[in-house]
Amino acid sequence: MNDRAEFGGLLRRYRRAANLTQAALAEAAGLSEQAIGLLERGIRRRPHRGTVLALTGAMGLDARATANLLSAAGGQEAGEAPARVAPERVPRQLPPDVGDFVGRSEELSLLTNALGASAHQAGTTVVALHGLAGVGKTTLAVHAAHLAADDFPGGQLYIDLQAYGPGAPLTASSALRVLLYSLGVRELAVPGDVEAATALYRSLLAGTRTLVVLDNGSDVDVLTHLLPGDAHCAVLVTGRRAMNLPSGCTNIELAPLDDADSLTMLSRIIGAERVGAEADAARTIVSTSHGLPLIVRLVGARLDRRQDWELAQVAQQLRSTGRQIDHLGVTAAVHSTVASSLEQLLSFPGGTERQAALAFDLLGLIDAAELSEEAVGALLDLPAQATEDVMAHLVDLHLVGSPRPGTYRLHDLLRTVAGERAGRNLAPEDRRLAIRRVLDLYVTQAWECLSLTHRESDRLWRARTPVGPVDPATLIARLAWFDSECSTILALVEQLAGDEFREPLLQLGFAFFGYLEIRARWPELRELTVSCRSLAVSAEDQAWLEYQLGIPDWEQGHFEAALDHFASAMTLFERLGAHRGVARTAFAVARTLERLERFDDAIPFAERALATGRAAGYRYGEGIGLLALGALLLRVGREAEAESFFGSAIELAVEAGDTRSAARREGIAGEAYASAGNHHRAISHFRSSLELHRSAPDPNGVVFVHRRMGTSLLATGNKEEAAETLDIALELAKEGSDRTEEAKILTQLGELQLVLDHPDAAREYLGAAASLFEDLGMPEAVDVRSRLASLV
């Protein structure tokens, strides 16, 4: 055993002897839970001596044990040094106050008076600011909150509810989770039920005088859940509409700034001396803002970076555009600012500046929160470096944000303007080609990813162009890329659903399965499949998408719903005479009936899958038929026949060179033996599965096998290895964001703690599992909650 593995094993044994979870040890030692996992698995290099001493102190080890752990750690190398655990502090979450705040004296007086009087009110004070986008609601709310901060010794909470984009607004559950974290509640302790989370949130605020700022709110139901119950707390809400909250609130409509205040703001940005020297030109410039602070800041920041520009020249350009500002809403005012900025870029004789001006309109074609540099490059039809150079001009002018390298984001106002400009300025064919280039990028990448995750998949023949060889070493990077692109892809599918892009969207619907399945993103797979099924014209596409729609239901435990989808798909395939489809869906029906413990009903479908696969020369169908029959025969007591079927199914996959399928079949065989109570035989199959997975990356498959093997190890009395196996499973599930498996593993860890007579740890694990199951909408939540109740 190498030094790292020896240290990891020793650390794990001492941790368990101390009755500590990885999370508890991490908290006590001032380290991250991930660091503990990496040390125990032997992945992290030998830790600092200080790290080891922090661990030994947290576990209460004696001198001999401490010496043993230090010896196993070896020399002092780079590692994660123990972090100081900060003492609990009052939350102070307000964004920074702006230095160029001007005007708003009347509204500010109303706000500060209302907040000051909140200590003497019978109910919670709620003040809502509403008005046009860009009018300065957030700025005023934050400024007032800073002024009133001393009146709220309980602290100030702040959250952006994102009701106006980009992206989906926060739900009450997700917003409460953020706020509870801010109040010191650990992740595993946050209730999954929204009413329970609301009650906990209000309980924590009870008896305090806390100010809560709810920015960009719209949904009254969401806002209601976020209102404190304590009469001495106060809430500031911002939104585009007046609020009618059940608790009642004071609504303040925020009007645009007058020209004098706008000019004052510009002076604070670019300097009073510069504005005073060209007062008339400065007034012309601020008049284009129509009193919207957002636009004054955009123009002011631009002028501040261009100290050599004369304000008179800028003002003359604005006059010469001949544009009249539309008073219907904020978009018209933003159009003016965008137009003046883009016209400045167009004034250059050539180069990337002109390309940037044209690029802005193209960005409006994609209604997504963020775009990667690759997607923007496809949209603009430019290589990577040219894309970066062009986008730098738009970022510099604050027309586009760049929250992190290689990623671009348009403010919702500017994205709206870009979309309107695209519809007005770009020819229909240019719009279509640009969108098609982005879709082609995603389709190509998705097929290549699927060729790595599902090397022998029948789906690959559906690729519009044959998928060439892809380096297996790129899989991790490709999965990571799709992690960041997933929300954009799903938003694009929703935006474009229709006849014009039917073919590439269907391609994406089939190809993106590879990523979504390997990442166990079942809600997203359901969403994508529903969208694409509505586009399917051919009966074959409809059948395959109906089958695909059953997969997320099956994986999330909705077996009756899954059975309906699989049976409907099988009927469609039978009508088409599509033998492969019949074999696959018959297998799926058999597996679902098995889960519903309808074994006698399931056996004919397994036999159908086997017979259809053999008759059609479809080796994969034959293999899954053998696999399903093996599992079912085992459940009805025909073990010798079952083992023969399992062996044949695994052998077929090995002969085909499909290591991933062979590994999965070993895992399914192990699961069947475990369900039948033969845990020793199950463990043998699980170990074979993990060995095969070493050469066939399959993140959620590996997690599944570790989880099931942990259960079988516990059943055979091997508690220590069971705990180690489940710890690894939990860490892998978190790394792969597989929340379904994470919930199941937490449940099993809770049961393990009960066997080890650690009821407090058991309740912690089971509570976290119940919350996750509830978040995922899985039926297991009821059973776990019931189990928890029995432990009280």
Side-chain angles (χ1 to χ4, degrees), residues 384-543:
Q385 186 58 57
T387 300
E388 184 178 348
D389 293 342
V390 165
M391 294 302 292
H393 293 293
L394 296 178
V395 172
D396 187 46
L397 288 172
H398 293 277
L399 294 175
V400 174
S402 182
R404 55 190 176 275
T407 304
Y408 300 102
R409 176 190 287 264
L410 265 72
H411 184 280
D412 58 336
L413 298 177
L414 297 174
R415 187 154 45 92
T416 298
V417 170
E420 293 176 0
R421 288 177 58 90
R424 186 174 64 247
N425 299 335
L426 300 176
E429 181 63 10
D430 290 337
R431 296 199 298 268
R432 189 190 69 80
L433 288 175
I435 292 172
R436 184 60 188 258
R437 287 193 298 269
V438 177
L439 283 174
D440 286 347
L441 166 73
Y442 289 137
V443 167
T444 299
Q445 293 286 348
W447 280 125
E448 290 185 355
C449 184
L450 185 134
S451 75
L452 295 173
T453 59
H454 300 69
R455 192 166 64 85
E456 302 298 325
S457 174
D458 290 333
R459 296 168 180 271
L460 288 169
W461 70 267
R462 291 180 166 274
R464 184 174 61 241
T465 56
V467 181
V470 183
D471 184 358
T474 66
L475 176 60
I476 300 302
R478 286 170 183 267
L479 291 175
W481 186 74
F482 275 120
D483 286 342
S484 61
E485 294 292 313
C486 185
S487 59
T488 298
I489 291 172
L490 294 175
L492 192 60
V493 171
E494 182 180 358
Q495 174 193 343
L496 301 177
D499 291 339
E500 187 173 10
F501 298 102
R502 180 188 307 276
E503 186 268 338
L505 289 176
L506 282 172
Q507 285 274 303
L508 197 54
F510 288 113
F512 204 36
F513 173 86
Y515 164 77
L516 294 174
E517 197 266 354
I518 209 75
R519 282 296 200 229
R521 299 187 70 158
W522 308 122
E524 290 89 343
L525 177 59
R526 182 182 292 109
E527 177 185 343
L528 174 71
T529 308
V530 167
S531 295
C532 290
R533 188 178 59 167
S534 67
L535 299 174
V537 175
S538 75
E540 185 176 19
D541 283 349
Q542 291 172 356

Side-chain angles (χ1 to χ4, degrees), residues 156-239:
Q156 302 86 45
L157 294 171
Y158 172 90
I159 187 169
D160 183 355
L161 298 174
Q162 303 173 22
Y164 306 105
L170 294 187
T171 62
S173 179
S174 56
L176 283 165
R177 186 173 295 275
V178 172
L179 290 168
L180 287 170
Y181 289 169
S182 302
L183 292 169
V185 178
R186 289 188 302 164
E187 180 176 3
L188 294 180
V190 175
D193 177 73
V194 67
E195 297 301 334
T198 302
L200 176 58
Y201 168 68
R202 289 173 178 162
S203 296
L204 292 173
L205 292 181
T208 73
R209 184 152 160 70
T210 302
L211 175 60
V212 182
V213 180
L214 305 176
D215 200 13
N216 290 314
S218 175
D219 189 321
V220 170
D221 181 63
V222 172
L223 291 167
T224 301
H225 281 289
L226 307 182
L227 298 180
D230 196 286
H232 299 305
C233 292
V235 181
L236 279 179
V237 184
T238 73

Side-chain angles (χ1 to χ4, degrees), residues 32 40 46 86 177 180 270 314 318 335 339 344 382 403 411 430 434 486 513 646 700 725:
S32 68
E40 289 191 353
R46 292 190 297 274
R177 186 173 295 275
L180 287 170
I270 69 173
V314 175
L318 293 176
H335 264 297
Q344 283 290 332
L382 291 173
H411 184 280
D430 290 337
C486 185
F513 173 86
F646 286 141
N700 55 335
T725 302

Side-chain angles (χ1 to χ4, degrees), residues 715-792:
T716 59
N718 195 338
K719 300 174 186 177
E720 183 173 350
E721 189 178 356
E724 179 179 350
T725 302
L726 290 173
D727 279 349
I728 292 172
L730 182 61
E731 188 175 340
L732 292 172
K734 288 180 177 179
E735 286 177 3
S737 300
D738 189 342
R739 301 181 74 214
T740 302
E741 279 294 326
E742 183 181 347
K744 293 177 180 179
I745 296 162
L746 287 168
T747 302
Q748 292 177 214
L749 282 168
E751 296 297 338
L752 172 62
Q753 293 304 315
L754 288 175
V755 172
L756 297 175
D757 197 26
H758 302 149
D760 290 341
R763 279 190 286 270
E764 183 176 342
Y765 279 124
L766 291 174
S771 296
L772 259 181
F773 279 132
E774 287 162 350
D775 283 349
L776 295 167
M778 294 180 66
E780 286 91 335
V782 176
D783 291 337
V784 179
R785 284 288 177 203
S786 176
R787 183 74 167 121
L788 262 175
S790 70
L791 300 178
V792 176

